[in-house]
């Protein structure tokens, strides 16, 4: 299997092939994900919660992300590797360049992900003009959870939906090569996916997106506490972690995950 690139992901979108994405934070899980045929691995700042036991992603720093990205890179073979830029590590275009360079040069990331819409356009332009691929992130923004007032579905009213659509198109125009939509109504997410030429990856955004992402520990049912509505425990009806990951990839590719019960209207 040839390595997955940003160009091959766009080709997958054009051909209607769903893109399967999972988070990973170490070499062993990464090797298992590769064996299952995962397309993209995200080293998420979600590690703050599922690895470090923090209450949110906010305490995660750049060195945490570089360390875990480097671990994942050692286990990676064919998938595209994306690393989150943690909270306050891209508050200016200059700082974003430094953070992204560290994640790519020292961590081995192929792409970096940042949260936000119109306020991040100049940063996206600066990164992409310097040869750094960018994945944008709209909808529920975990790094802005206190500003948003908690983990809530975004884009349910006409005005916020309009702004999200405009932000998505502007991010693509600025050079973003992928977009994550989190906790967004199904119809809105599907509309944005149709409008953009870059791949749109959903998490709690319905089956109309070009692909899906979940936190690995969530889809294995081992994250403490009550799971989010958009999470499915793939380990429950399988016999091993490897089978669970393979089932996830199969269901994403077939378009059977997420189902209606994992989505928002």
């Amino acid at each position: 299997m040839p390595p997955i690139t940003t160009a091959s992901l766009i080709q997958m979108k054009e051909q209607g092939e769903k893109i399967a994405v999972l988070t990973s934070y170490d070499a062993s899980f990464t090797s298992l994900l590769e064996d299952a045929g995962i397309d993209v691995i995200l080293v998420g700042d979600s590690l703050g919660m599922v690895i470090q036991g923090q209450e949110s992603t906010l305490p995660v720093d750049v060195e945490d992300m570089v360390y875990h990205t480097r671990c994942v890179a050692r286990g990676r073979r064919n998938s595209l590797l994306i690393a989150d830029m943690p909270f306050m590590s891209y508050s200016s275009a200059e700082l974003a360049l430094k953070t992204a360079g560290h994640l790519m040069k020292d961590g081995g990331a192929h792409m970096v992900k940042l949260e936000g819409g119109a306020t991040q356009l100049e940063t996206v332009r600066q990164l992409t003009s310097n040869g750094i691929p960018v994945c944008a992130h709209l909808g529920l923004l975990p790094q802005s959870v206190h500003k948003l007032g908690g983990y809530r579905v975004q884009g349910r009213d006409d005005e916020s939906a309009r702004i999200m659509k405009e932000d998505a198109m502007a991010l693509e125009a600025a050079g973003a090569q992928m977009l994550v939509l989190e906790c967004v109504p199904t119809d809105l997410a599907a509309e944005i996916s149709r409008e953009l030429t870059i791949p749109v990856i959903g998490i709690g955004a319905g089956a109309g997106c070009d692909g899906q992402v979940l936190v690995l520990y969530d889809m294995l049912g081992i994250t403490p506490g009550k799971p989010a509505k958009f999470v499915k425990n793939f380990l429950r009806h399988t016999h091993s972690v490897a089978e669970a990951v393979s089932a996830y990839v199969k269901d994403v590719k077939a378009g059977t995950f997420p189902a209606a019960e994992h989505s928002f209207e």
Side-chain angles (χ1 to χ4, degrees), residues 114-137:
L114 52 77
E115 297 180 5
T119 58
Q120 300 299 341
L121 294 178
E122 182 56 34
T123 296
V124 172
R125 291 189 194 100
Q126 287 291 327
L127 290 171
T128 56
S129 67
N130 281 276
I132 298 171
V134 174
C135 176
H137 186 147

Side-chain angles (χ1 to χ4, degrees), residues 206-239:
C209 296
D210 302 305
Q212 301 296 326
V213 61
L214 283 179
V215 171
L216 176 64
Y217 289 19
D218 288 351
M219 59 79 62
L220 294 176
I222 59 176
T223 303
K226 182 181 178 181
K229 174 184 170 69
F230 55 77
V231 171
K232 177 180 177 180
N233 180 351
F234 283 84
L235 190 57
R236 181 174 294 150
H237 300 296
T238 53
H239 298 96

Side-chain angles (χ1 to χ4, degrees), residues 26-203:
D26 62 50
S28 296
F29 268 119
T30 297
S31 180
L32 188 150
L33 267 56
E34 290 275 355
D35 290 343
I38 204 76
D39 298 310
V40 179
I41 293 176
L42 169 64
V43 185
D45 58 3
S46 49
L47 69 86
M49 302 170 78
V50 300
I51 300 292
Q52 298 176 340
Q54 309 278 7
E55 292 186 357
S56 73
T57 64
L58 302 187
V60 177
D61 63 25
V62 175
E63 293 308 318
D64 291 332
M65 293 303 306
V66 170
Y67 170 78
H68 285 279
T69 302
R70 188 184 302 125
C71 291
V72 170
R74 292 191 184 112
R76 188 204 71 84
R77 299 191 300 274
N78 300 308
S79 59
L80 184 80
L81 178 54
I82 304 176
D84 268 339
M85 297 216 287
F87 180 62
M88 293 304 293
S89 71
Y90 51 98
S91 54
S92 68
E94 181 180 1
L95 181 58
L97 283 169
K98 180 180 178 181
T99 300
H102 196 13
L103 287 166
M104 294 182 75
K105 288 174 63 178
D106 302 313
H110 303 133
M111 176 183 278
V112 297
K113 184 168 78 65
L114 52 77
E115 297 180 5
T119 58
Q120 300 299 341
L121 294 178
E122 182 56 34
T123 296
V124 172
R125 291 189 194 100
Q126 287 291 327
L127 290 171
T128 56
S129 67
N130 281 276
I132 298 171
V134 174
C135 176
H137 186 147
L138 294 174
L140 174 61
L141 307 178
Q143 293 177 9
S144 302
V145 64
H146 297 308
K147 180 181 178 182
L148 295 173
Y151 296 94
R152 299 177 179 177
V153 180
Q154 304 295 308
R156 274 185 158 155
D157 62 272
D158 291 344
E159 179 63 10
S160 62
R162 180 188 64 79
I163 292 171
M164 194 180 302
K165 285 186 284 187
E166 290 179 354
D167 281 351
M169 296 182 72
L171 286 163
E172 179 180 47
Q177 292 178 285
M178 186 182 293
L179 174 66
V180 169
L181 292 178
E182 182 169 357
C183 290
V184 173
T186 297
D187 290 347
L188 174 60
E191 181 180 353
I192 292 172
S193 299
R194 289 192 299 269
E195 290 289 330
L196 300 189
T197 61
I198 60 174
V200 176
I201 309 299
I203 176 167

